């Protein structure tokens, strides 16, 4: 797991805008910042109010606790309600988080018309709420006692836009939704080859706790009980049980942008007390020599029951799903939690095996990776768009949440989210997404802009998403040129540490060191020269 570098909060800005227009992209940069300001200063009086910025942020579904906006929000709250904010102030306030601020103010998030989209989701919620069929799981009293008609839907986009409706703050035990995450943890630790020596990747076509192994004597896949028990044996096997559990809890918290899950001890005790089938699966696998050498079976089963007994609510789980939708980078913190490859593998198996023996039908008609749990949770991933969690405890005969499945049906009826909806441009369905082509070209410009503004948090996210650190603009100016020209010592250092080329040449044959001299940025000059830069 990589840590994001945090920029310190800015001091209350002075009334002068002290950053010069810089070489190369300077005027472009200022122009963009001015446009943002003008978009808020509708009457053209030359100043705006705090509330005007905050209301756009809220309308776009971003939360005021969003870590990626902290510097801007802190700076903003140094102004009292009606205090005028001039262009110079504005520019200082937004600079540390400029990329996200720009995306929000320009409506360039993945779901640009977020209010409209949420209206649709709210409607689907109301329609599915009427469905009272199905029964809560009652194999343990702790699940049997849950009020059956509770229902919540929460979502989080890859830009961190959040929406929730209904009982989204009520805790439930995560049960089988622990399976994809433990699979990811095993992959991160041991790699694909080793993990799949011990667990297959084929749908079993059987119930989730069926006593069956594949032709190699392995559990069929990580999304059913046998495979999940196997994955548990692969998560930090050398640590003691307490530390292994802490590791899993910490991983969930990181996936959820820092929101900590909880643990339900009575669910755990009940799970453990009524676990004949899971024990049977464990012994059956041991008999078939399926486990890695040295596995302590009872400890592994205990670990599995504990993982099933983790508790969280729909809001937290929607961020976890969004991290998967975003290729392993948590949208609300920008931290890379899992590698792209790990997430790809996990989504593939959620797609083919995530809904027990309804998985084939679900992949066919819904076309999205999802994972259900017996307490009524459903974690749904719309890749590159958002994560959704529905929670409604009544289950169908396969063990999937009735309302959750119906929610998905209505979701893909209304929106073109089915995996193969992209085959035809003729779909009658709504597309709430921003054009991908447009988004890509903006991305290149924005990366360069983030460099010139010193927005390290955003840079980190761009790199995590695979942006090229040396990608130059039409003048051959690489990110390092701009950072040096603007005198952003921390950015220069960050870029170099991330492997940026030291002496790229722009079309005037200039190097970054040249830029630093031109701007007389002493600290940048000495930093570059220490690393061996030339003019
Ligand atoms: N704790 C449950 C079990 O192992 C989890 C299964 C589920 O959610 N389907 O039986």
């Amino acid at each position: 797991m990589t840590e994001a570098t945090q920029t310190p909060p800015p001091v209350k800005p002075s009334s002068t805008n002290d950053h010069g227009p810089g070489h190369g992209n300077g005027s472009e940069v200022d122009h963009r910042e001015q446009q943002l300001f003008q978009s808020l200063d509708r009457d053209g009086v030359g100043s705006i109010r705090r509330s005007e910025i905050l209301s756009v942020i809220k309308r776009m579904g971003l939360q005021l606790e969003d870590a990626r906006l902290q510097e801007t929000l802190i700076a903003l709250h140094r102004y009292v309600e009606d205090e005028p904010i001039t262009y110079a102030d504005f520019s200082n306030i937004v600079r540390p988080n400029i990329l996200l601020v720009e995306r929000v103010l320009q409506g360039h998030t993945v779901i640009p018309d977020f209010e409209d989209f949420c209206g649709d989701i709210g409607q689907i919620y109301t329609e599915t709420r009427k469905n009272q069929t199905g029964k809560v799981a009652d194999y343990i009293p702790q699940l049997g006692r849950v009020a059956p008609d509770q229902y919540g839907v929460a979502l989080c986009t890859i830009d961190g836009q959040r929406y929730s409706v209904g009982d989204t703050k009520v805790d439930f035990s995560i049960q089988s939704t622990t399976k994809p995450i433990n699979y990811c943890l095993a992959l991160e630790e041991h790699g694909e080859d080793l993990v799949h020596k011990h667990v297959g990747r084929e749908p079993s076509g059987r119930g989730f706790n069926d006593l069956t192994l594949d032709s190699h004597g392995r559990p069929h896949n990580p999304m059913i009980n046998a495979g999940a028990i196997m994955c548990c044996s692969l998560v930090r096997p050398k640590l003691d049980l307490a530390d292994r559990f802490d590791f899993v809890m910490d991983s969930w918290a990181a996936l959820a942008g820092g929101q900590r899950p909880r643990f339900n001890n009575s669910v755990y005790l009940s799970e453990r007390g009524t676990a004949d089938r899971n024990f049977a699966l464990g012994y059956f696998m041991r008999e078939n020599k399926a486990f890695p050498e040295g596995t302590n079976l009872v400890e592994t089963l205990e670990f599995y029951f504990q993982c099933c007994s983790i508790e969280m609510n729909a809001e937290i789980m929607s961020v976890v799903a969004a991290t998967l939708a975003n290729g392993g980078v948590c949208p609300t913190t920008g931290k890379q939690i899992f590698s792209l490859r790990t997430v790809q593998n996990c989504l593939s198996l959620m797609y083919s095996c995530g809904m027990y023996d309804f998985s084939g039908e679900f992949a066919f008609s819904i076309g999205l990776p999802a994972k259900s749990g017996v307490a009524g949770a459903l974690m749904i991933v719309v890749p590159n768009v958002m994560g959704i969690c529905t929670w409604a405890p009544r289950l169908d005969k396969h063990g999937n949440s009735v309302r959750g499945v119906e929610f998905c049906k209505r979701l893909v009826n209304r929106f073109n989210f089915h995996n193969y909806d992209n085959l035809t441009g003729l779909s009658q369905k709504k597309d709430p997404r921003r054009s991908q082509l447009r988004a890509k070209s903006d991305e290149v410009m924005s990366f360069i802009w983030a460099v010139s503004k010193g927005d390290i948090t955003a840079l980190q996210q761009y790199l995590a998403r695979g942006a090229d650190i040396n990608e130059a603009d039409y003048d051959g100016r690489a990110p390092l040129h701009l950072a040096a020209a603007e005198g952003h010592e921390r950015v220069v250092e960050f870029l170099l540490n991330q492997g940026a080329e030291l002496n790229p040449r722009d079309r005037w044959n200039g190097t970054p060191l040249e830029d630093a001299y031109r701007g007389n940025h002493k600290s940048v000059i000495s930093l570059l020269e220490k690393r061996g830069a030339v003019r």
Side-chain angles (χ1 to χ4, degrees), residues 139 175-176 179 208 225 271 278 304 308 356 373-374:
Y139 69 96
Q175 298 289 350
S176 276
K179 290 170 180 162
F208 66 88
N225 284 20
E271 289 285 346
N278 286 322
Y304 169 72
C308 289
Y356 312 124
V374 81

Side-chain angles (χ1 to χ4, degrees), residues 134-271:
K135 288 214 320 251
V136 299
D138 55 5
Y139 69 96
I140 54 171
Q142 281 66 28
L143 291 181
R145 278 189 222 122
V146 170
D149 287 316
Q150 299 181 89
Y151 181 29
V153 172
L155 64 89
C156 173
T157 73
I158 58 165
D159 283 317
Q161 298 166 277
R162 314 272 301 266
Y163 172 70
S164 54
V165 49
D167 303 312
T168 53
K169 288 198 192 297
V170 181
D171 275 354
F172 48 79
S173 55
I174 65 172
Q175 298 289 350
S176 276
T177 55
T178 193
K179 290 170 180 162
I181 303 308
N182 279 351
Y183 171 56
C184 288
L185 294 174
L187 282 178
E188 292 276 301
E189 188 170 344
H190 306 283
E192 202 174 307
D193 290 348
L194 191 136
V195 169
H196 284 293
K197 267 197 191 118
H198 296 283
V199 56
R201 39 198 192 216
E202 203 59 70
S204 71
R206 313 285 275 270
F208 66 88
N209 58 5
D210 214 76
L211 204 53
T212 174
L213 297 176
D214 70 11
S215 57
H216 304 282
R218 298 170 308 186
H220 283 84
N221 66 68
M223 303 297 156
I224 53 173
N225 284 20
I229 294 167
M230 184 56 70
C231 286
C232 279
S233 79
L234 290 162
V235 174
R236 294 290 191 268
K238 295 213 170 66
L239 296 185
D240 67 38
L241 206 47
D243 286 335
R244 291 170 83 180
F245 186 66
D246 275 345
F247 172 69
V248 169
M249 291 291 267
D250 290 346
S251 303
W252 277 96
L255 289 161
Q259 307 173 85
R260 278 201 84 71
R262 293 159 280 275
F263 176 69
N264 187 323
N265 194 43
S266 25
V267 168
Y268 161 67
L269 293 171
S270 276
E271 289 285 346

Side-chain angles (χ1 to χ4, degrees), residues 348-464:
S348 300
L349 289 181
M350 285 169 72
Y351 192 79
S352 58
C353 314
M355 300 293 286
Y356 312 124
D357 48 341
F358 186 66
S359 298
E361 179 59 38
F362 194 87
F364 182 86
S365 54
I366 310 295
L368 290 172
K371 183 73 201 84
S372 56
V374 81
L378 187 51
M379 187 200 275
I380 308 144
V381 177
V382 186
N384 295 315
V385 183
M386 69 179 74
I388 306 173
C389 174
T390 65
W391 174 63
R394 288 183 192 271
L395 307 180
D396 62 20
K397 64 175 192 294
H398 304 287
N400 295 318
S401 165
V402 174
R403 283 174 175 165
V405 171
E406 193 190 333
F407 177 91
C408 292
K409 283 187 185 148
R410 290 179 185 264
L411 180 78
V412 298
N413 272 342
R414 191 166 307 203
F415 298 107
N416 63 349
F417 286 166
H418 185 293
N419 195 18
Y420 299 113
D421 273 332
N422 58 5
L423 283 177
T424 165
L426 300 175
S427 169
Q428 297 297 308
K429 298 179 182 181
K430 251 175 144 168
D431 187 357
R433 279 167 279 208
R434 180 169 142 64
S435 146
Q436 293 298 304
L437 218 65
R438 179 76 209 278
K440 179 72 208 153
S441 73
D442 287 351
E443 183 123 323
V444 176
M445 276 314 291
S446 294
F447 182 74
I448 290 177
W449 197 35
V451 170
S452 69
K453 294 273 121 182
D455 184 348
I456 292 188
T457 316
L459 287 180
Q460 190 112 29
Q461 289 172 35
Y462 276 97
L463 291 178

Side-chain angles (χ1 to χ4, degrees), residues 80-97:
V80 290
E81 188 55 49
D82 278 327
E83 197 175 343
I85 296 175
T86 64
Y87 169 61
D89 297 336
F90 172 78
S91 143
N92 282 310
I93 290 170
V94 299
R95 195 179 305 156
N97 306 121

Side-chain angles (χ1 to χ4, degrees), residues 7-23:
T7 11
V11 288
K12 180 162 177 171
S14 65
S15 55
T16 52
N17 187 357
D18 53 5
H19 75 283
H23 179 85

